[in-house]
Amino acid sequence: MRVDERSDEEKQRDATAARMRLEGWLGYTDKAARSEALSVVLDDMAPGDVEGLLSALRCVSDGLRGRRMVWRGRG
């Protein structure tokens, strides 16, 4: 395992940039799906809206793969 030699400021900046990218990708689905994904992934909650979670994760997958973003929201 490599030692992370970045300063605390660099770590914070990188974490903030990653969170902003995530929020941008989740902007391509509806608010309920976005909230579901954040509660499941970040807060370790059990999924309640599986359809919404999958929609949000597809957006994240598109973003990570550099694909053109498309709206995946409901209604």
Side-chain angles (χ1 to χ4, degrees):
M1 181 184 216
R2 292 181 12 194
V3 175
D4 188 350
E5 296 181 1
R6 295 176 297 166
S7 69
D8 287 342
E9 292 80 18
E10 290 171 316
K11 291 176 188 176
Q12 181 65 42
R13 185 184 63 240
D14 291 346
T16 300
R19 179 68 186 249
M20 295 303 293
R21 281 191 304 275
L22 174 66
E23 294 285 351
W25 298 333
L26 290 176
Y28 285 88
T29 193
D30 57 88
K31 288 182 182 183
R34 176 193 171 281
S35 294
E36 179 72 9
L38 292 175
S39 69
V40 169
V41 175
L42 298 180
D43 299 331
D44 199 26
M45 301 296 290
D49 176 7
V50 174
E51 180 183 339
L53 176 61
L54 291 175
S55 171
L57 291 177
R58 285 183 186 108
C59 291
V60 173
S61 176
D62 287 348
L64 287 171
R65 293 170 188 230
R67 294 183 181 153
R68 185 173 76 71
M69 300 302 294
V70 296
W71 174 252
R72 295 188 181 276
R74 301 169 281 191

